[in-house]
Amino acid sequence: MTRLPTYFVSHGGGPWPWMKDQYGPTYAELEASLVDIKRQVGVRPTAVLVVTSHWETDDFTVSSGTAPGMIYDYGGFPPHTYQIRYPAPGEPQLAARVVQLLNDAGQPARLDAERGFDHGTFSMLAPIYPEADMPVVQLSIRHGYDPAVHLAAGRALAPLRDEGVLILGSGLSFHNLRQFGPGGALASNAFDTWLQHVLLELSPADREQALLHWSEAPYARMAHPREDHLVPLWVALGAAEQEAAACVYHEESFFGALTVSSFRFGDAAA
């Protein structure tokens, strides 16, 4: 079995794949980068584990239903975006495996058979697997956003990469909704420059230390007033902590002014 890379994906806003008439080319570069993930992976995964920034719990929680429903966790969008269906199946066996790995590593975890797909999952997956035939399991992030806890969770989940599971952390490298536009240009660029340096240039040990102290980065709290959309990065990196990173999406004019990026950890297919 091929060892699969892991990803941190900037997932965009709301149900954007279903709003191309409204957004025009706004998401063209992001969409192209997501489509290319399938090529980079090179093989068909057995399933996808999405670490979603849109699900916060006290203990790690894993979606375990066989046919997850939909969670329209956004507001003010056109009526048709509340009828979206992304009918990918769940994978209860994988969900149980995730809980086992986390519990064995001292990270309390439980199953949730009722949890549906949130937009951090279905909007990001739609370009990668448009047929919605890939089994999908979601993992929550933990309240408190402790970097060490989430890096450790990723470490515990690393064996899944040798079992054909694609681990995707779904967040956004800049997430300050009050500064979505020209007001966020400086902060998003400065924080992204720091993130690129840390992930692409530092040694694995120094990279981890920098992320443990991410709030000391330039414009950190302007880029992430709440770091929920950064947390999935730590899990994705933890699952491939000794491996090289690559930037797989970088845009400096997102919503006209913002700098955002996505990253892969581990090698792409030849």
Side-chain angles (χ1 to χ4, degrees):
M1 179 69 70
T2 302
R3 171 172 289 182
L4 300 185
T6 71
Y7 288 83
F8 170 70
V9 171
S10 287
H11 64 223
W16 62 266
W18 291 268
M19 295 182 62
K20 292 180 180 178
D21 288 346
Q22 290 88 348
Y23 282 132
T26 299
Y27 284 99
E29 290 186 47
L30 176 58
E31 182 174 27
S33 74
L34 292 169
V35 170
D36 197 54
I37 286 177
K38 188 174 183 179
R39 180 198 62 80
Q40 293 174 33
V41 173
V43 298
R44 179 178 171 84
T46 58
V48 177
L49 176 64
V50 177
V51 185
T52 172
S53 55
H54 288 271
W55 187 17
E56 297 182 27
T57 53
D58 290 333
D59 292 328
F60 286 113
T61 307
V62 186
S63 65
S64 59
T66 57
M70 302 292 289
I71 299 175
Y72 306 114
D73 52 342
Y74 41 74
F77 287 90
H80 77 271
T81 63
Y82 299 90
Q83 306 298 321
I84 292 167
R85 293 288 181 269
Y86 187 77
E91 182 48 83
Q93 285 184 305
L94 172 58
R97 173 77 169 134
V98 171
V99 166
Q100 175 195 14
L101 288 169
L102 290 170
N103 282 330
D104 287 351
Q107 299 282 352
R110 60 183 180 86
L111 299 171
D112 183 341
E114 303 301 319
R115 178 73 183 186
F117 296 141
D118 59 60
H119 85 262
T121 296
F122 65 77
S123 290
M124 175 267 297
L125 284 178
I128 307 174
Y129 298 112
E131 299 85 1
D133 59 352
M134 181 66 66
V136 177
V137 168
Q138 294 175 124
L139 172 65
S140 71
I141 60 174
R142 277 185 53 175
H143 291 312
Y145 309 141
D146 187 331
V149 166
H150 290 88
L151 283 163
R155 221 170 279 132
L157 298 173
L160 296 176
R161 300 175 56 208
D162 294 316
E163 299 168 15
V165 177
L166 178 60
I167 299 174
L168 296 177
S170 179
L172 201 57
S173 61
F174 176 85
H175 195 250
N176 184 341
L177 297 181
R178 293 185 177 183
Q179 300 293 332
F180 251 52
L186 177 61
S188 66
N189 185 268
F191 185 76
D192 192 273
T193 298
W194 175 86
L195 196 60
Q196 297 274 348
H197 168 68
V198 167
L199 296 179
L200 304 183
E201 299 177 14
L202 296 187
S203 69
D206 290 342
R207 184 168 65 179
E208 180 175 321
Q209 284 302 308
L211 291 175
L212 288 172
H213 302 283
W214 76 274
S215 62
E216 299 171 14
Y219 293 91
R221 280 300 174 192
M222 186 171 283
H224 293 279
R226 291 174 67 245
E227 59 266 39
D228 51 327
H229 277 60
L230 190 64
V231 172
L233 166 65
W234 303 331
V235 182
L237 176 61
E241 63 181 343
Q242 298 300 317
E243 296 178 52
C247 181
V248 296
Y249 162 66
H250 178 76
E251 186 171 357
E252 297 183 2
S253 58
F254 185 66
F255 274 83
L258 302 178
T259 302
V260 291
S261 297
S262 300
F263 299 91
R264 183 187 72 239
F265 305 101
D267 294 333

